[in-house]
Amino acid sequence: MPQKVIITVDAMGGDDAPGVVLEGVADALSADEDLTVILCGPAEVVEPFAAAHARCEARACSEAIAMAEHPANAVRKKKDSSIVVGCRLVKEGAAQGFFSAGSTGACLAAGTLVMGRIKGIARPALATVIPSPVRPVVMCDIGANADCKPEYLVQFAQMASVYAEKVVGIESPRAALLNIGEEDEKGSQFAQEAHRLLAERLPNFAGNAEGGDILPATFDVIVTDGFTGNVCLKTIEGTSKTLFKTLKGVMMKSLATKLGALAIKGGLKELMAQVSPDTYGGAPLLGVKGALLVGHGSSGALAIKNGVLTTAGIVRADVAGIIARTAAGKAEAAPAPGAGVGEGGAA
């Protein structure tokens, strides 16, 4: 029988909140009968919605954190904001996970300051599923830690490997260090030291990955510092959008190209779905006490729905518990290496 899960959701998170958030939450509740949502936001928004939807509770909040605010300062000052309240409910045990498409910085700050770091984890890190047309690829870190020590990357790889296997569904994931060459001695002193530590401590470490290995899914988990990971992710997303936009322009040029576009319309839709970030709905902050998923600010209802469902999946897979046991030395550092790769999807 599926595990019943309670997730807190920031009703005011995202460019089009609260409308798309409410729509996405309604869809998530319909899709998962064992899910309960605590909706955090202004009383006039959350209370009518909760009254109209089973398994939804309202938590009125008098404050909201705007995208432009300083994340840590806002979290410390706005104790009754939807982000802080949502994370506090997880800390207090009233819920097991939190989802928001609001300020990424505020979510990271609240996750660390309010929910708290798992003991033994030096730095929580953001992971994401790269929009590869081949199969899912998990990258970590993608922006939580711009400045890193080599030993941090070992924990990033451990946590991302757990997420890749338990939530994304990749069997025996192979992890690699993002570098400028495949040879062991390549890269900066930072990269070389990180490679040495990963080779010593990570059972599923498969060596260096170059930028050209990401989209072909040569490896299942790509580990890097948050600065490099964020630039890499934004480059991939921007390139994908530009290519699809250019392709659409070419296909609309003439009657002949329009007929050709009509013939391959189904295949293009399938490809766009494969590379869409909406599939998982957001990036988990790994290393905090509970499940925390940060959605994109431009998330639509589908992304919100999938983000809430993915957060519930992280809870059910006990990702935080596995990471805690790993950090305490009570479990294997990561899944053992293996050849099999599952296609998987959000739980």
Side-chain angles (χ1 to χ4, degrees):
M1 183 177 179
Q3 176 187 347
K4 292 187 180 298
V5 174
I6 301 174
I7 301 298
T8 56
V9 175
D10 173 15
M12 304 310 292
D15 300 339
D16 298 312
V20 295
V21 177
L22 300 183
E23 184 180 348
V25 168
D27 292 342
L29 289 168
S30 296
D32 187 343
E33 295 181 354
D34 293 290
L35 171 68
T36 295
V37 168
I38 301 177
L39 198 58
C40 304
E44 64 271 20
V45 172
V46 301
E47 289 176 355
F49 182 87
H53 292 80
R55 292 177 285 110
C56 183
E57 302 173 16
R59 182 61 182 260
C61 303
S62 61
E63 298 174 302
I65 296 176
M67 292 287 190
E69 293 186 73
H70 186 281
N73 289 345
V75 166
R76 290 188 178 98
K77 292 178 180 178
K78 293 189 171 182
K79 303 294 186 183
D80 200 42
S81 64
S82 50
I83 289 176
V84 173
V85 170
C87 287
R88 188 165 64 239
L89 289 172
V90 177
K91 177 182 175 60
E92 294 171 350
Q96 293 86 48
F98 172 67
F99 171 80
S100 174
S103 165
T104 298
C107 288
L108 300 184
T112 303
L113 297 174
V114 179
M115 290 171 61
R117 284 185 295 116
I118 291 172
K119 185 177 180 180
I121 296 299
R123 295 288 188 277
L126 276 172
T128 192
V129 179
I130 295 293
S132 166
V134 180
R135 59 176 175 263
V137 176
V138 176
M139 178 179 283
C140 186
D141 183 21
I142 59 160
N145 304 278
D147 298 302
C148 291
K149 296 180 180 179
E151 52 266 32
Y152 295 170
L153 269 61
V154 176
Q155 289 192 336
F156 295 171
Q158 292 170 340
M159 296 189 294
S161 295
V162 172
Y163 180 71
E165 182 176 45
K166 301 298 183 182
V167 178
V168 182
I170 303 173
E171 184 181 350
S172 302
R174 298 170 68 244
L177 172 68
L178 187 60
N179 208 332
I180 59 172
E182 63 180 20
E183 296 84 4
D184 293 359
E185 68 278 3
K186 285 285 187 176
S188 61
Q189 289 185 344
F190 171 84
Q192 291 178 35
E193 178 62 11
H195 185 284
R196 184 185 69 80
L197 293 174
L198 285 161
E200 287 179 359
R201 302 178 187 177
L202 196 73
N204 61 322
F205 183 58
N208 286 331
E210 297 183 87
D213 291 318
I214 299 173
L215 288 181
T218 307
F219 304 96
D220 306 304
V221 173
I222 304 293
V223 61
T224 185
D225 62 275
F227 182 91
T228 304
N230 190 273
V231 171
C232 183
L233 176 64
K234 298 286 179 60
T235 301
I236 291 172
E237 290 178 341
T239 301
S240 177
K241 289 179 182 178
T242 301
L243 285 175
F244 276 113
K245 184 177 180 180
T246 303
L247 183 60
K248 182 179 179 180
V250 170
M251 288 182 168
M252 294 296 106
K253 254 186 174 180
S254 67
L255 177 60
T257 57
K258 287 179 181 178
L259 290 173
L262 187 62
I264 62 171
K265 184 178 179 181
L268 282 176
K269 281 189 174 180
E270 184 179 345
L271 177 60
M272 290 180 72
Q274 284 179 312
V275 301
S276 173
D278 291 354
T279 301
Y280 296 90
L285 181 64
L286 303 174
V288 294
K289 296 176 180 178
L292 192 161
L293 199 81
V294 185
H296 200 283
S298 61
S299 293
L302 177 61
I304 299 294
K305 169 193 172 182
N306 289 338
V308 174
L309 294 177
T310 298
T311 309
I314 293 171
V315 173
R316 291 186 174 117
D318 191 29
V319 170
I322 296 171
I323 290 172
R325 292 191 291 275
T326 299
K330 296 178 182 178
E332 290 186 4
V341 178
E343 290 297 324

